[in-house]
Coordinates of all heavy atoms in Angstrom, one line a residue:
M214 N 5.2 -7.7 -56.6 CA 4.9 -8.7 -57.6 C 6.1 -8.9 -58.5 O 6.3 -10.0 -58.9 CB 3.7 -8.3 -58.4 CG 2.9 -9.4 -59.0 SD 2.4 -10.8 -57.9 CE 1.6 -10.0 -56.5
A215 N 6.9 -7.9 -58.6 CA 8.1 -8.0 -59.5 C 9.0 -9.1 -59.0 O 9.6 -9.9 -59.8 CB 8.7 -6.7 -59.7
N216 N 9.3 -9.1 -57.7 CA 10.2 -10.1 -57.1 C 9.7 -11.5 -57.3 O 10.5 -12.4 -57.6 CB 10.4 -9.8 -55.6 CG 11.1 -8.6 -55.4 OD1 11.9 -8.1 -56.2 ND2 11.0 -8.0 -54.2
L217 N 8.4 -11.7 -57.2 CA 7.9 -13.1 -57.5 C 8.0 -13.5 -58.9 O 8.3 -14.6 -59.3 CB 6.5 -13.2 -57.0 CG 6.2 -13.1 -55.5 CD1 4.8 -13.0 -55.2 CD2 6.9 -14.2 -54.8
R218 N 7.8 -12.5 -59.8 CA 8.0 -12.7 -61.2 C 9.4 -13.1 -61.6 O 9.7 -14.0 -62.3 CB 7.6 -11.5 -62.0 CG 6.6 -11.8 -63.1 CD 6.1 -10.6 -63.8 NE 4.7 -10.5 -63.4 CZ 4.0 -9.4 -63.4 NH1 4.5 -8.2 -63.7 NH2 2.7 -9.4 -63.1
F219 N 10.3 -12.4 -61.0 CA 11.8 -12.7 -61.2 C 12.1 -14.1 -60.6 O 12.9 -14.8 -61.2 CB 12.7 -11.7 -60.5 CG 12.7 -10.4 -61.2 CD1 12.7 -9.2 -60.5 CD2 12.8 -10.3 -62.6 CE1 12.7 -8.0 -61.2 CE2 12.9 -9.1 -63.3 CZ 12.8 -7.9 -62.5
G220 N 11.5 -14.5 -59.5 CA 11.6 -15.8 -59.0 C 11.1 -16.9 -59.9 O 11.8 -17.9 -60.1
G221 N 10.0 -16.6 -60.6 CA 9.5 -17.6 -61.6 C 10.4 -17.7 -62.8 O 10.7 -18.8 -63.3
Y222 N 10.9 -16.5 -63.2 CA 11.9 -16.6 -64.3 C 13.1 -17.3 -64.0 O 13.7 -18.1 -64.8 CB 12.3 -15.2 -64.8 CG 11.2 -14.4 -65.6 CD1 10.8 -13.1 -65.2 CD2 10.6 -15.0 -66.7 CE1 9.8 -12.5 -65.9 CE2 9.7 -14.3 -67.4 CZ 9.3 -13.0 -67.0 OH 8.3 -12.4 -67.7
L223 N 13.6 -17.1 -62.7 CA 14.8 -17.8 -62.2 C 14.6 -19.3 -62.2 O 15.5 -20.1 -62.7 CB 15.1 -17.3 -60.8 CG 16.3 -18.0 -60.2 CD1 17.6 -17.7 -60.8 CD2 16.3 -17.7 -58.7
L224 N 13.4 -19.8 -61.8 CA 13.2 -21.2 -61.7 C 13.1 -21.8 -63.1 O 13.6 -22.9 -63.4 CB 11.9 -21.5 -60.9 CG 12.0 -21.3 -59.4 CD1 10.7 -21.5 -58.7 CD2 13.1 -22.2 -58.8
V225 N 12.5 -21.1 -64.0 CA 12.4 -21.5 -65.4 C 13.8 -21.7 -66.0 O 14.1 -22.7 -66.7 CB 11.5 -20.6 -66.3 CG1 11.6 -20.9 -67.7 CG2 10.0 -20.7 -65.8
A226 N 14.6 -20.6 -65.8 CA 15.9 -20.6 -66.4 C 16.8 -21.8 -65.8 O 17.5 -22.5 -66.5 CB 16.6 -19.3 -66.1
I227 N 16.7 -21.9 -64.5 CA 17.5 -23.0 -63.9 C 17.0 -24.4 -64.3 O 17.8 -25.3 -64.5 CB 17.5 -22.9 -62.3 CG1 18.3 -21.7 -61.9 CG2 18.0 -24.1 -61.6 CD1 18.2 -21.4 -60.4
G228 N 15.7 -24.5 -64.5 CA 15.2 -25.8 -65.0 C 15.6 -26.1 -66.4 O 16.0 -27.3 -66.7
L229 N 15.7 -25.1 -67.2 CA 16.2 -25.3 -68.6 C 17.7 -25.6 -68.7 O 18.2 -26.4 -69.4 CB 15.8 -24.1 -69.5 CG 14.3 -24.0 -69.8 CD1 14.0 -22.7 -70.5 CD2 13.8 -25.2 -70.5
I230 N 18.4 -24.8 -67.8 CA 19.9 -25.0 -67.8 C 20.2 -26.5 -67.2 O 21.1 -27.1 -67.7 CB 20.5 -24.0 -66.9 CG1 20.5 -22.6 -67.6 CG2 22.0 -24.3 -66.6 CD1 20.9 -21.4 -66.8
N231 N 19.4 -26.8 -66.2 CA 19.6 -28.2 -65.7 C 19.3 -29.3 -66.7 O 20.0 -30.2 -66.8 CB 18.7 -28.4 -64.5 CG 18.9 -29.7 -63.7 OD1 20.1 -30.0 -63.6 ND2 17.9 -30.3 -63.3
L232 N 18.3 -29.0 -67.5 CA 18.0 -30.0 -68.6 C 19.1 -30.1 -69.6 O 19.4 -31.2 -70.0 CB 16.7 -29.5 -69.3 CG 16.2 -30.4 -70.4 CD1 15.8 -31.8 -69.9 CD2 15.0 -29.8 -71.1
R233 N 19.7 -29.0 -69.9 CA 20.8 -29.0 -70.9 C 22.0 -29.6 -70.4 O 22.7 -30.5 -71.1 CB 21.0 -27.6 -71.4 CG 22.2 -27.5 -72.3 CD 22.0 -28.2 -73.6 NE 23.2 -28.1 -74.4 CZ 24.0 -29.1 -74.7 NH1 23.8 -30.3 -74.2 NH2 25.0 -29.0 -75.5
Y234 N 22.4 -29.3 -69.2 CA 23.7 -29.7 -68.7 C 23.7 -31.1 -68.1 O 24.7 -31.8 -67.9 CB 24.3 -28.8 -67.7 CG 24.9 -27.6 -68.3 CD1 24.2 -26.4 -68.3 CD2 26.1 -27.6 -69.0 CE1 24.7 -25.2 -69.0 CE2 26.6 -26.5 -69.6 CZ 25.9 -25.3 -69.6 OH 26.4 -24.2 -70.2
Q235 N 22.5 -31.6 -67.8 CA 22.4 -33.0 -67.3 C 22.0 -34.0 -68.4 O 21.7 -35.1 -68.1 CB 21.3 -33.0 -66.2 CG 21.5 -32.1 -65.0 CD 22.3 -32.8 -64.0 OE1 22.3 -34.0 -63.8 NE2 23.0 -32.0 -63.1
T236 N 22.1 -33.6 -69.6 CA 21.7 -34.5 -70.8 C 22.6 -35.8 -70.7 O 23.7 -35.7 -70.5 CB 22.0 -33.8 -72.1 OG1 21.2 -32.6 -72.1 CG2 21.6 -34.6 -73.3
G237 N 21.9 -36.9 -70.8 CA 22.6 -38.1 -70.7 C 22.4 -38.8 -69.4 O 22.6 -40.0 -69.3
N238 N 22.0 -38.1 -68.4 CA 21.8 -38.7 -67.1 C 20.4 -39.3 -67.0 O 19.5 -38.8 -67.7 CB 21.9 -37.7 -65.9 CG 23.3 -37.2 -65.7 OD1 24.3 -37.8 -66.2 ND2 23.5 -36.2 -65.0
Q239 N 20.2 -40.3 -66.2 CA 19.0 -40.9 -66.1 C 18.0 -40.0 -65.4 O 18.3 -39.3 -64.4 CB 19.1 -42.2 -65.3 CG 18.0 -43.2 -65.5 CD 18.4 -44.5 -64.9 OE1 19.4 -44.7 -64.2 NE2 17.6 -45.5 -65.2
N240 N 16.7 -40.0 -65.8 CA 15.6 -39.2 -65.3 C 15.9 -37.7 -65.3 O 15.4 -37.0 -64.5 CB 15.3 -39.6 -63.9 CG 14.8 -41.0 -63.8 OD1 14.1 -41.5 -64.7 ND2 15.1 -41.8 -62.7
V241 N 16.6 -37.2 -66.3 CA 16.9 -35.8 -66.3 C 15.7 -35.0 -66.6 O 15.5 -33.9 -66.0 CB 18.0 -35.5 -67.3 CG1 17.6 -35.7 -68.8 CG2 18.5 -34.0 -67.2
L242 N 14.8 -35.5 -67.4 CA 13.6 -34.7 -67.7 C 12.7 -34.6 -66.5 O 12.1 -33.5 -66.2 CB 12.8 -35.4 -68.8 CG 11.6 -34.7 -69.4 CD1 12.0 -33.4 -70.0 CD2 10.9 -35.5 -70.5
L243 N 12.6 -35.6 -65.7 CA 11.8 -35.6 -64.5 C 12.4 -34.6 -63.5 O 11.6 -33.8 -62.9 CB 11.8 -37.0 -63.8 CG 11.0 -37.1 -62.5 CD1 9.5 -36.9 -62.8 CD2 11.2 -38.5 -61.9
H244 N 13.7 -34.6 -63.3 CA 14.3 -33.6 -62.4 C 14.2 -32.2 -62.9 O 13.9 -31.3 -62.1 CB 15.8 -34.0 -62.2 CG 16.0 -35.3 -61.5 ND1 15.7 -35.5 -60.2 CD2 16.6 -36.4 -62.0 CE1 16.0 -36.8 -59.9 NE2 16.6 -37.3 -61.0
S245 N 14.4 -32.0 -64.1 CA 14.3 -30.6 -64.7 C 12.8 -30.1 -64.6 O 12.6 -28.9 -64.3 CB 14.8 -30.6 -66.1 OG 16.2 -30.8 -66.1
M246 N 11.9 -30.9 -64.9 CA 10.5 -30.5 -64.9 C 10.0 -30.2 -63.4 O 9.1 -29.4 -63.2 CB 9.6 -31.6 -65.5 CG 9.7 -31.7 -67.0 SD 9.2 -30.1 -67.8 CE 10.6 -29.9 -68.9
A247 N 10.7 -30.9 -62.4 CA 10.3 -30.6 -61.0 C 10.8 -29.2 -60.7 O 10.3 -28.6 -59.7 CB 11.0 -31.6 -60.1
I248 N 11.7 -28.6 -61.4 CA 12.1 -27.2 -61.2 C 11.4 -26.3 -62.1 O 10.9 -25.2 -61.7 CB 13.6 -27.1 -61.4 CG1 14.4 -28.1 -60.5 CG2 14.1 -25.7 -61.2 CD1 15.8 -28.3 -60.9
L249 N 11.2 -26.7 -63.3 CA 10.6 -25.8 -64.4 C 9.1 -25.6 -64.2 O 8.7 -24.4 -64.2 CB 10.8 -26.5 -65.7 CG 10.4 -25.7 -67.0 CD1 11.4 -24.5 -67.2 CD2 10.4 -26.6 -68.2
L250 N 8.4 -26.6 -63.9 CA 6.9 -26.5 -63.7 C 6.5 -25.5 -62.6 O 5.6 -24.7 -62.8 CB 6.2 -27.8 -63.6 CG 6.3 -28.6 -64.9 CD1 5.6 -30.0 -64.7 CD2 5.6 -27.9 -66.1
P251 N 7.1 -25.6 -61.4 CA 6.7 -24.7 -60.4 C 7.0 -23.2 -60.8 O 6.3 -22.3 -60.4 CB 7.5 -25.1 -59.1 CG 7.7 -26.5 -59.4 CD 7.9 -26.7 -60.8
G252 N 8.1 -23.1 -61.5 CA 8.5 -21.7 -62.0 C 7.5 -21.2 -63.0 O 7.1 -20.0 -62.9
L253 N 7.0 -22.1 -63.9 CA 6.0 -21.6 -64.8 C 4.6 -21.3 -64.1 O 4.0 -20.3 -64.5 CB 5.7 -22.7 -65.9 CG 6.8 -22.9 -66.9 CD1 6.5 -24.1 -67.8 CD2 7.0 -21.7 -67.7
V254 N 4.3 -22.1 -63.1 CA 3.1 -21.9 -62.3 C 3.2 -20.5 -61.6 O 2.2 -19.7 -61.6 CB 2.8 -23.0 -61.4 CG1 1.7 -22.7 -60.4 CG2 2.4 -24.3 -62.2
L255 N 4.3 -20.3 -61.0 CA 4.5 -19.0 -60.2 C 4.5 -17.9 -61.2 O 3.9 -16.8 -60.9 CB 5.9 -19.1 -59.5 CG 6.3 -17.8 -58.8 CD1 5.2 -17.4 -57.7 CD2 7.6 -18.0 -58.2
L256 N 5.1 -18.0 -62.3 CA 5.2 -16.9 -63.3 C 3.8 -16.6 -63.8 O 3.4 -15.5 -63.9 CB 6.1 -17.3 -64.5 CG 6.5 -16.2 -65.4 CD1 7.1 -15.1 -64.8 CD2 7.4 -16.8 -66.5
A257 N 3.0 -17.7 -64.1 CA 1.6 -17.5 -64.6 C 0.8 -16.8 -63.5 O -0.1 -16.0 -63.8 CB 1.0 -18.8 -65.1
G258 N 1.0 -17.3 -62.3 CA 0.2 -16.7 -61.2 C 0.4 -15.3 -60.9 O -0.5 -14.6 -60.4
T259 N 1.6 -14.7 -61.3 CA 1.8 -13.3 -61.1 C 1.1 -12.5 -62.1 O 1.0 -11.2 -62.0 CB 3.3 -13.0 -61.1 OG1 3.8 -13.4 -62.4 CG2 4.0 -13.7 -60.0
F260 N 0.5 -13.0 -63.2 CA -0.2 -12.3 -64.2 C -1.7 -12.4 -64.0 O -2.5 -11.7 -64.7 CB 0.2 -12.8 -65.6 CG 1.6 -12.4 -66.0 CD1 2.6 -13.2 -66.0 CD2 1.8 -11.0 -66.4 CE1 3.9 -12.9 -66.3 CE2 3.1 -10.6 -66.7 CZ 4.1 -11.5 -66.7
I261 N -2.2 -13.3 -63.2 CA -3.6 -13.5 -62.9 C -4.0 -12.7 -61.7 O -3.4 -12.9 -60.6 CB -3.9 -15.0 -62.8 CG1 -3.5 -15.8 -64.0 CG2 -5.4 -15.2 -62.5 CD1 -3.5 -17.3 -63.9
S262 N -5.1 -11.9 -61.8 CA -5.5 -11.0 -60.8 C -5.8 -11.7 -59.5 O -5.5 -11.3 -58.4 CB -6.6 -10.1 -61.2 OG -7.7 -10.8 -61.5
R263 N -6.5 -12.9 -59.5 CA -6.9 -13.6 -58.3 C -5.7 -14.1 -57.6 O -5.7 -14.0 -56.4 CB -7.8 -14.7 -58.7 CG -9.3 -14.3 -58.9 CD -10.2 -15.5 -59.0 NE -11.5 -15.0 -59.1 CZ -12.5 -15.8 -59.4 NH1 -12.3 -17.1 -59.7 NH2 -13.7 -15.3 -59.5
T264 N -4.8 -14.7 -58.3 CA -3.6 -15.2 -57.6 C -2.7 -14.1 -57.2 O -1.9 -14.2 -56.2 CB -2.8 -16.2 -58.5 OG1 -2.5 -15.6 -59.8 CG2 -3.6 -17.5 -58.7
Q265 N -2.7 -12.9 -57.8 CA -1.9 -11.8 -57.4 C -2.4 -11.4 -56.0 O -1.5 -11.0 -55.2 CB -2.1 -10.6 -58.3 CG -1.3 -10.7 -59.6 CD -1.5 -9.5 -60.5 OE1 -2.4 -8.7 -60.3 NE2 -0.7 -9.3 -61.5
R266 N -3.7 -11.4 -55.7 CA -4.2 -11.0 -54.4 C -3.6 -12.0 -53.3 O -3.3 -11.6 -52.2 CB -5.7 -10.9 -54.4 CG -6.2 -9.7 -55.1 CD -7.7 -9.6 -54.8 NE -8.5 -10.6 -55.4 CZ -9.1 -10.6 -56.5 NH1 -9.2 -9.5 -57.2 NH2 -9.8 -11.6 -56.9
I267 N -3.6 -13.3 -53.7 CA -3.1 -14.3 -52.8 C -1.6 -14.1 -52.6 O -1.1 -14.2 -51.4 CB -3.4 -15.7 -53.3 CG1 -4.9 -15.9 -53.3 CG2 -2.7 -16.8 -52.4 CD1 -5.3 -17.2 -54.0
L268 N -0.9 -13.9 -53.6 CA 0.6 -13.7 -53.6 C 1.1 -12.4 -52.9 O 2.2 -12.3 -52.5 CB 1.2 -13.8 -55.0 CG 1.1 -15.2 -55.6 CD1 1.6 -15.1 -57.1 CD2 1.9 -16.2 -54.9
E269 N 0.2 -11.5 -52.8 CA 0.5 -10.2 -52.1 C 0.6 -10.4 -50.6 O 1.2 -9.5 -49.9 CB -0.4 -9.1 -52.5 CG -0.3 -8.6 -53.9 CD -1.4 -7.6 -54.3 OE1 -2.3 -7.4 -53.5 OE2 -1.2 -7.0 -55.3
K270 N 0.0 -11.4 -50.0 CA 0.1 -11.6 -48.6 C 1.4 -12.1 -48.2 O 2.1 -12.8 -48.9 CB -1.0 -12.7 -48.2 CG -2.4 -12.2 -48.5 CD -3.4 -13.2 -48.1 CE -4.8 -12.8 -48.5 NZ -5.8 -13.8 -48.4
R271 N 1.8 -11.6 -47.0 CA 3.2 -11.9 -46.5 C 3.4 -13.4 -46.3 O 4.5 -13.9 -46.6 CB 3.3 -11.2 -45.1 CG 4.7 -11.4 -44.5 CD 5.7 -10.4 -45.1 NE 6.9 -10.5 -44.4 CZ 8.1 -10.5 -44.9 NH1 8.2 -10.4 -46.2 NH2 9.2 -10.6 -44.2
N272 N 2.4 -14.2 -45.8 CA 2.6 -15.6 -45.6 C 2.8 -16.3 -46.9 O 3.6 -17.2 -47.0 CB 1.4 -16.2 -44.9 CG 1.2 -15.7 -43.5 OD1 2.2 -15.2 -42.9 ND2 0.0 -15.7 -42.9
S273 N 2.1 -15.9 -47.9 CA 2.3 -16.5 -49.2 C 3.7 -16.3 -49.8 O 4.3 -17.1 -50.4 CB 1.2 -16.0 -50.2 OG -0.1 -16.3 -49.8
Q274 N 4.1 -15.1 -49.6 CA 5.5 -14.7 -50.1 C 6.6 -15.5 -49.4 O 7.5 -16.0 -50.0 CB 5.7 -13.2 -49.9 CG 4.9 -12.4 -50.8 CD 5.1 -10.9 -50.6 OE1 5.8 -10.5 -49.7 NE2 4.4 -10.1 -51.4
I275 N 6.4 -15.7 -48.1 CA 7.4 -16.6 -47.3 C 7.3 -18.0 -47.8 O 8.4 -18.6 -48.0 CB 7.1 -16.5 -45.8 CG1 7.4 -15.0 -45.3 CG2 7.9 -17.5 -45.1 CD1 7.0 -14.8 -43.9
L276 N 6.1 -18.5 -48.0 CA 6.0 -19.9 -48.5 C 6.6 -20.1 -49.9 O 7.3 -21.0 -50.2 CB 4.5 -20.3 -48.5 CG 4.2 -21.7 -49.0 CD1 4.8 -22.7 -48.0 CD2 2.7 -21.9 -49.1
V277 N 6.3 -19.1 -50.8 CA 6.8 -19.2 -52.2 C 8.4 -19.1 -52.1 O 9.1 -19.8 -52.8 CB 6.2 -18.1 -53.1 CG1 6.9 -18.0 -54.4 CG2 4.7 -18.5 -53.3
G278 N 8.9 -18.2 -51.3 CA 10.3 -18.0 -51.2 C 11.0 -19.3 -50.7 O 12.1 -19.7 -51.2
A279 N 10.4 -19.9 -49.7 CA 11.0 -21.2 -49.1 C 11.0 -22.3 -50.2 O 12.0 -23.0 -50.3 CB 10.2 -21.6 -47.9
I280 N 9.9 -22.4 -50.9 CA 9.8 -23.5 -51.9 C 10.8 -23.2 -53.0 O 11.4 -24.1 -53.5 CB 8.3 -23.6 -52.4 CG1 7.4 -24.1 -51.3 CG2 8.3 -24.5 -53.7 CD1 5.9 -24.1 -51.7
S281 N 10.9 -21.9 -53.4 CA 11.8 -21.6 -54.5 C 13.2 -21.9 -54.0 O 14.0 -22.4 -54.8 CB 11.7 -20.1 -54.8 OG 10.4 -19.9 -55.3
L282 N 13.6 -21.5 -52.8 CA 14.9 -21.8 -52.3 C 15.2 -23.3 -52.3 O 16.3 -23.7 -52.7 CB 15.1 -21.2 -50.9 CG 16.5 -21.3 -50.3 CD1 17.5 -20.5 -51.1 CD2 16.4 -20.7 -48.9
L283 N 14.3 -24.1 -51.8 CA 14.4 -25.5 -51.8 C 14.6 -26.1 -53.2 O 15.4 -27.0 -53.5 CB 13.3 -26.2 -51.1 CG 13.2 -26.0 -49.6 CD1 11.9 -26.6 -49.1 CD2 14.4 -26.7 -49.0
L284 N 13.9 -25.5 -54.2 CA 14.0 -26.0 -55.6 C 15.4 -25.6 -56.2 O 16.0 -26.4 -56.9 CB 12.9 -25.4 -56.5 CG 11.6 -26.1 -56.2 CD1 10.5 -25.3 -57.0 CD2 11.6 -27.5 -56.7
I285 N 15.9 -24.4 -55.8 CA 17.2 -24.0 -56.3 C 18.3 -24.9 -55.7 O 19.2 -25.3 -56.4 CB 17.5 -22.5 -55.9 CG1 16.5 -21.7 -56.8 CG2 18.9 -22.1 -56.2 CD1 16.5 -20.2 -56.4
V286 N 18.2 -25.2 -54.4 CA 19.1 -26.1 -53.8 C 19.1 -27.5 -54.4 O 20.1 -28.1 -54.7 CB 18.9 -26.2 -52.2 CG1 19.7 -27.3 -51.6 CG2 19.2 -24.9 -51.6
Y287 N 17.9 -28.0 -54.7 CA 17.7 -29.2 -55.4 C 18.3 -29.2 -56.7 O 18.9 -30.2 -57.1 CB 16.2 -29.5 -55.5 CG 15.9 -30.7 -56.3 CD1 16.1 -32.0 -55.8 CD2 15.3 -30.6 -57.6 CE1 15.8 -33.1 -56.6 CE2 15.0 -31.7 -58.4 CZ 15.3 -33.0 -57.9 OH 15.0 -34.1 -58.6
A288 N 18.2 -28.1 -57.4 CA 18.8 -28.1 -58.8 C 20.4 -28.2 -58.7 O 21.0 -28.8 -59.6 CB 18.4 -26.7 -59.5
F289 N 20.9 -27.5 -57.7 CA 22.4 -27.6 -57.6 C 22.9 -28.9 -57.1 O 24.1 -29.2 -57.3 CB 22.9 -26.4 -56.8 CG 22.9 -25.1 -57.6 CD1 21.9 -24.1 -57.3 CD2 23.8 -24.8 -58.6 CE1 21.9 -23.0 -58.0 CE2 23.7 -23.7 -59.4 CZ 22.8 -22.7 -59.1
T290 N 22.2 -29.5 -56.2 CA 22.6 -30.8 -55.6 C 22.3 -32.0 -56.5 O 22.8 -33.1 -56.3 CB 22.1 -31.0 -54.3 OG1 20.6 -31.0 -54.3 CG2 22.5 -29.9 -53.3
N291 N 21.4 -31.8 -57.5 CA 21.0 -32.9 -58.3 C 22.0 -33.2 -59.3 O 22.6 -32.7 -60.1 CB 19.7 -32.4 -59.0 CG 19.1 -33.3 -60.0 OD1 19.8 -34.1 -60.5 ND2 17.9 -33.2 -60.3

């Protein structure tokens, strides 16, 4: 569960950094929230017992990892 929590923190941090460094660009809030909100949802999900059981499954971890990786790539190419 700790790795998923770190992933949530990572997405939140990248979303906030993106918001700061893209200031002045058009639709920066939309792009940053597309990174930040999934991070917050993942982070909150690691503290709720029902979602912890779902996130402990291997398939869920692979899916979350793939989505997180795509969001990180999106943040750097944005």
